Each structure stands twice: as structure tokens, then as C-alpha cells.
Amino acid sequence: MTWYLIRRAGQALAVVIGVLILTFIMIHMVPGTAARSVLGLRATASRIAIFNATYGLDQPLWRQFGSYLDQVLHGDLGTSYILQQPVSSLIAQRLPRDALLLGLSTALALLIGLPLGIYQAVRRNGVGDYLLSGVSFTLYSMPSFFFGIMLVAVFSVQLHILPPEAPQATSVGGMLADPRALVLPVLTLALINVATYSRYMRSSAIDTLAQDYLRVVRAKGLPERLVLFRHVLRNSVLPIVTIVGLTLPQVVAGAVVTEEVFNYPGMGLLFYQASTSHDFPILLGCTLIVGVAAVAGNLAADVAYGMLDPRIRHGGA
Amino acid sequence: MAALEAGAGLGAPPEAGALAARRGSGRLALAAFARSRQARIGAGVIAGIAAFCFLGPFFYHTNQVTVELGSGTLPPGGGHPLGTDASGYDVLGRLMLGGQSSLELGFGVSLATTVVGTLYGAIAGLAGGFVDAVMMRVVDTFLAIPSLVLLLILVNLFTPNLWIIIALLTMLSWLATSRLVRGEVLSLRTREFVQAARMMGGRRSRIMFRHMVPNAIGVIVVNATFTIADAILTYSALSFLGLGLPPPHADWGTMLSNGLNYLFDGYWWLVYPPAIILIITVVAFNLIGDAIRDSLDVRLQRP
């Protein structure tokens, strides 16, 4: 197990370095120069020189990469061209709000998706299974922005029961103080993953249901409810751990769209606004954070999988 | 009929199984496809929509070139079964035109993704060792970052046209394919028939294209189908974020996201027609992929 952890952590580290190199390359892929895209075509040569000197863009590439690494390792992600604030503090302000949005919606998605998947597996090829499959396919195939705006149209415009905008408080506590405003963004982000989770849960549970130990459990007369909760759920939920880790980047991408629809003041919105104003330090800072979070999430999922499932022994190999 | 034979091979004695293995999972995928009602429905819907988009304009002539502000946002009825949009374009005709580029985008991305991903994955899986490790860490790196995030950066670096969008979406979607193919190749490498081919002195390229790829093709086809659906969806998100292709170009995602601006003015015909046709198309591709995957997964077969 220890050896497996070391090897797996080594791989994760390699990927983090890869993400760093990737973001660095992208800084330098800006057409023309960063200075031109920020200052505009009519900027004078001296203003461009000042801009380049300020952001260290006049140094040789290898030195720039060196100082980029040095900065990142000291927790400095550069300064926003437009907002003139440190990117790290801009992200730090928004990260808790994103954790709230992603956490709530993932929890909700699991809470709905897992029982649905088991139900579909038990009633496989029945009317309920077909109906739910149809619904989850449709949800999965729906552009999330369309889904979000439809929710606004129904619950805010027609029924007047939920506000169309996410809470605008600066702190997580403040956002939680306005739970009605959180409902629609969380629902939008959750329902897309409900389809993914219930789909995987369905096939995982179908696998489990075919196992011999379930026949034994049923034969000894355990009530069906206990069979499902104690044996089917616990055994089929394992692969989902990995799926949750793997869908993390997808959830983040969904968050970009959801935050734009509901004006949710998170990293996704920051990222989107930076993208339309060519604010590269913010774009790359967010990319780096998301990349590292995804690597950490996958690592955590793998390790959790190993710990949850005693059958998996990461022996010497 | 060949499809039926291969299908019977699944539950038949070992000789028949060996025959199916020799034929490769491509036949199996085809057989699975023919057997599954779900896949047939999906394929039928796609065929219908493709006919609507590509043949429709021959029978239903509309002006999709010059702007006519005088006849903008007309409700359905009269000469316009689905009304007109803000620029005066007929919505039904625009759905056909937009569908052409949405389908081209989906198929283009899927084709390029499959070719690039299969080659990369097969090479990594065959090479093994250090080369494989490095190649896979590159894939992991790109996979760690959500594709929409990378797209939002990359779109800023180019002046987009349909080909550049296809290239960018491909750049971000071949990664999953290459992982799948590598996994298949790794498991195929140890099979007897591959070892036999190697022992007989088969060249690497022969082993790869004659033995590996045909056997992995089921997985590849399933992935390609899902890629079409994903590409259409990802592009629609991109156009919602305002980074789609500029006006002369039409596609369902752009029509939908533009239409949503008018939803609360009551111009529902600018929203629901593109939404419904886009969702139906994506559902159909997902149905096909899901059906083939289920039938290829022997563990899920009923005894």
C-alpha cells in the first residue's frame, strides 16, 4: 500500500508539473503579445515596454519559467492585468463559494442518483427503468445553460417562488443565509450529474445483483430492503467513488456555465469574465488551481477506493 | 445475416466465440447494433434529422443570406411555419442550415478524435515502459483541466471558424479515446493470438492494425458516438458564453443561445425549436452509444 501511494503520488506530481508547463506555454501563445491584447492596438511603444517590464515579459523564456515556478511555489499567481489585484487573493475569495456550490450540488446529485440507479437496476427493463432512463438521457443531453434558464422561467418568472439570481453575499455564511437563492444554481449543476451517477450506479448495481453472495443473502431470508441497503448499495457504490473523482473537471466546467447563468460570484464567473477581457494571469491562475484540484481529487478517490474495498490490495507491484 | 451469426456467437460454444474473436469486435458491435431496438431507434432518428438538414433545403427554399429587419420576429404562421428570428431569417430554414454545421461539427470532431486517439493510445500501449508512462502523463495533464476551461482560453488565441472549432474540440477530446484504446491494447497484448502473431515475426504495425485495432473497435465505436454528442453540447455551451462563430454562420447551439435572449419577450419560437432538435439529436447519439456498450459488455448480458 505504501509503495502504491508513493508511486501514485509521484504520478500526480508529474501531472501537476505538466499543468504548470501547459499554463506557461499558453501565456506565450497569445497572438501578438499580451501587452497588445491588454493595452490595445493604439498603445505606444513605450507603454508596451513598461507593460513588458512590469510583468517580466522582456526576460528570456527560461528565466520567465524559472520566476513563474518560483512565484507559484510561493503562492503568488501573478497580478490581474485588468483588476490590478493579486490573482491568488481573487481566487481565495471565491474558492469557498465554489466549494459550497460544487459540494452541495455533488451531494444532491449523489443523494438522488444512487437510489435511482439501484431502483433501475432492480426493476431492470421494466416500465420505471425505461421511463427514468429516458429522463436521465434527456437531462444529460440538455445544454446546462438551457436547463438553468428553463428553471428560471418556471420558478422565478411564472411561479415567483425562487429568485433568479444566486446570493451575492461575500462570505459563505452570508450565502447560506439566503438559501432560497441557492436552490436554482445548485439544482442546475446537480441534475446534470444525477444522470451520470444514476447511469453508472445502474450498471454497477446490475453487476452486483448477479453475484452469488446476493443469492445467499436472499436465501437466508433477509428482508429485501436490508439486501438492497446492506449488500447491493455498499458493494456497488465503490466504482462511483472513482467516477466522482473523474467527473470533477466536468463539474467545474458546468460551474462556469451555471455561474454565468445565475451570476454566482465564484471562480467560474471570474474565469469567464477574464476570458472575455483577455486577462491571462487570472485565466492561468484558475486553470492551475483547477488542474491541481482535479489531480488531488483523483488521487484522493483512488486512495479512498483502496481503503474502502478490502479486496483491493496494492501489493508490492 | 452475418450480423445474426455473430450475435449468436456470444452465447454459443467456445468455437463460435473464437470465430467472433477472430472477426474482431467490429462485427460484434455491428451485430449488437442490429439487435438493439434502442440503437435502431437512435439511428433512425439521426437519419431522419440528417435528411431534414441536408435534403430539406432542396424542397423548402428560404432566404438565409440577406437580413430583412422588416419581417423580424414574426410569429409562426403565414409563409413561416416556425416564424422568423430577429434578423428576419425563417426559423425552419435556419434549423436546416444550422443542423448541417452542427452535424458536421459533431462528425468532424468524432472522426478526428477517433483517428488521433486510437493511434496515440495504441502506440502508448504497444510501446509500454517509459514511453507509455510519459505519453500517459501528457494525457493526464490535459484531462486534469476541464475542456471548457481550456477552450475558453484557446478560443481567445485564434479567430474562430468551423474548422478551427473542430480542431480545438478535437484537441481536447482525443485524450479520453487514447486512454480507452491504450487500456484495450494492454489487455490484448497478453492474449494468445497476439503473442502468436508476434512469435511468427509479425511487424509492430501489422500487429497493431491487423490484430489490435480490429479487436478494440467496439470500444472505439462506442466512444466515437458519445464524442459526437459531447462535441455538439460543448460547442453550444461555448456559443452561450459568447465565443461561438459570428453571425453569417448558423448552428443549433448559437440559435438556441441567441433565442434565449428573447425568451422573456415571448418569442418562444426562437427557443424551443432549436432546443428540441438539439436535445433529440444528442439523445439519439447517446442512445446508440449506450446500446452498443451494453451489448458489448458480456457481463451485462442476460444468461
Side-chain angles (χ1 to χ4, degrees), chain B residues 180-202:
Chain B
L180 277 175
V181 173
R182 172 181 170 268
E184 282 292 296
V185 166
L186 281 185
S187 85
L188 286 171
R189 254 170 73 150
T190 56
R191 299 273 192 86
E192 286 87 351
F193 67 92
V194 173
Q195 289 176 341
R198 186 171 294 158
M199 203 182 68
M200 286 187 283

Side-chain angles (χ1 to χ4, degrees), chain A residues 11 14-15 18-19 22-23 26 29-31 124-125 130 137-138 140-143 145-146 149-150 152-153 157 199-200 202-203 206-207 246 248-250 252-254 256-257 260-261 271-272 274-276 278 280 283-284 287 290-291 294-295, chain B residues 37-38 136-137 140-150 152-154 156-158 179 226 230 233 236-243 253 256-257 260 263-264 271-272 275-276 278-279 282-284 286-287 290 293-294 297 299-302:
Chain A
Q11 283 180 0
V15 173
V19 172
L22 185 68
T23 49
M26 281 194 296
M29 270 171 63
V30 182
R124 190 177 171 206
N125 295 337
Y130 279 123
F137 266 114
T138 314
Y140 182 77
S141 307
M142 203 179 268
F145 62 89
F146 175 69
I149 291 177
M150 283 298 113
V152 170
V157 178
R199 224 42 221 160
Y200 275 102
R202 177 178 178 272
S203 58
I206 287 177
D207 258 7
L246 285 177
L248 191 71
Q250 244 23 72
V252 173
V256 175
V257 173
E260 159 68 5
V261 170
F271 182 86
Y272 170 63
S275 149
T276 51
H278 301 275
F280 284 93
L283 293 181
L284 300 170
T287 311
V290 168
V295 172
Chain B
R37 190 160 47 128
Q38 189 183 328
M136 280 302 116
R137 289 301 84 71
D140 288 350
T141 302
F142 278 91
L143 275 180
I145 302 167
S147 51
L148 190 66
V149 167
L150 274 181
L152 283 178
I153 300 181
L154 291 173
N156 276 310
L157 306 181
F158 299 97
R179 247 196 189 177
F226 287 134
D230 285 349
L233 273 186
S236 76
L238 205 60
S239 50
F240 171 71
L241 295 174
L243 294 160
L256 174 58
S257 34
L260 283 170
L263 178 64
F264 299 115
V271 178
Y272 298 113
I276 290 168
L278 185 137
I279 294 171
V282 176
V283 167
N286 280 330
L287 279 181
D290 191 70
R293 182 178 56 192
D294 270 6
D297 195 343
R299 287 171 309 156
L300 295 182
Q301 301 270 321
R302 281 195 191 208

Side-chain angles (χ1 to χ4, degrees), chain B residues 25 39 45-46 54-55 74 82 111 154 168 173 194 197 206 234:
Chain B
S25 62
V45 170
I46 299 294
F54 288 95
L55 302 179
L74 293 175
L82 288 175
L111 190 70
L154 291 173
L168 290 181
S173 61
V194 173
R206 184 181 163 82
T234 308

Side-chain angles (χ1 to χ4, degrees), chain B residues 5-293:
Chain B
E5 281 167 36
L10 277 177
E15 296 87 358
L19 189 70
R22 190 169 59 77
R23 283 176 172 177
S25 62
R27 288 286 174 84
L28 284 185
L30 209 63
F33 188 80
R35 246 182 307 136
S36 158
R37 190 160 47 128
Q38 189 183 328
R40 285 201 307 269
I41 293 175
V45 170
I46 299 294
I49 286 177
F52 165 77
C53 296
F54 288 95
L55 302 179
F58 290 112
F59 303 102
Y60 182 71
H61 302 281
T62 51
N63 164 28
Q64 298 290 344
V65 183
T66 46
V67 174
E68 281 177 49
L69 293 177
S71 53
T73 59
L74 293 175
H80 305 287
L82 288 175
T84 61
D85 70 6
S87 310
Y89 296 131
D90 180 87
V91 171
L92 183 62
R94 199 126 188 103
L95 278 182
M96 297 173 181
L97 194 70
Q100 291 179 9
S101 57
S102 284
L103 290 177
E104 280 163 14
L105 176 100
F107 278 104
V109 171
S110 175
L111 190 70
T113 293
T114 304
V115 172
V116 177
T118 305
L119 278 178
Y120 192 92
I123 291 173
L126 274 182
F130 182 69
V131 179
D132 176 40
V134 171
M135 285 174 88
M136 280 302 116
R137 289 301 84 71
V138 171
V139 170
D140 288 350
T141 302
F142 278 91
L143 275 180
I145 302 167
S147 51
L148 190 66
V149 167
L150 274 181
L151 262 179
L152 283 178
I153 300 181
L154 291 173
V155 172
N156 276 310
L157 306 181
F158 299 97
T159 316
N161 60 38
L162 189 61
W163 292 110
I164 290 197
I165 296 276
I166 290 180
L168 290 181
L169 284 172
T170 304
M171 246 177 85
L172 302 171
S173 61
W174 63 271
L175 306 148
T177 314
S178 74
R179 247 196 189 177
L180 277 175
V181 173
R182 172 181 170 268
E184 282 292 296
V185 166
L186 281 185
S187 85
L188 286 171
R189 254 170 73 150
T190 56
R191 299 273 192 86
E192 286 87 351
F193 67 92
V194 173
Q195 289 176 341
R198 186 171 294 158
M199 203 182 68
M200 286 187 283
R203 270 173 292 119
R204 280 194 165 192
S205 58
R206 184 181 163 82
I207 291 175
M208 186 161 139
F209 290 108
R210 190 88 192 116
H211 298 284
M212 299 279 194
V213 172
N215 274 290
I217 206 122
V219 178
I220 297 173
V221 168
V222 172
N223 189 255
T225 332
F226 287 134
T227 306
I228 300 177
D230 285 349
I232 296 177
L233 273 186
T234 308
Y235 178 71
S236 76
L238 205 60
S239 50
F240 171 71
L241 295 174
L243 294 160
L245 296 172
H249 174 87
D251 67 86
W252 293 334
T254 312
M255 286 174 76
L256 174 58
S257 34
N258 289 341
L260 283 170
N261 294 328
Y262 301 99
L263 178 64
F264 299 115
D265 300 330
Y267 300 151
W268 56 268
W269 60 91
L270 298 182
V271 178
Y272 298 113
I276 290 168
I277 198 165
L278 185 137
I279 294 171
I280 288 179
T281 309
V282 176
V283 167
F285 280 118
N286 280 330
L287 279 181
I288 297 176
D290 191 70
I292 306 179
R293 182 178 56 192

Side-chain angles (χ1 to χ4, degrees), chain A residues 149-162 164 184, chain B residues 263-264 266 268 272:
Chain A
I149 291 177
M150 283 298 113
L151 287 181
V152 170
V154 173
F155 290 103
S156 309
V157 178
Q158 296 285 330
L159 301 174
H160 297 289
I161 48 176
L162 290 168
L184 291 185
Chain B
L263 178 64
F264 299 115
W268 56 268
Y272 298 113

Side-chain angles (χ1 to χ4, degrees), chain A residues 226-249:
Chain A
L226 282 183
V227 173
L228 290 183
F229 272 88
R230 203 180 281 169
H231 296 276
V232 179
L233 177 70
R234 287 178 66 174
N235 278 297
S236 14
V237 87
L238 284 166
I240 308 295
V241 174
T242 321
I243 297 299
V244 173
L246 285 177
T247 48
L248 191 71

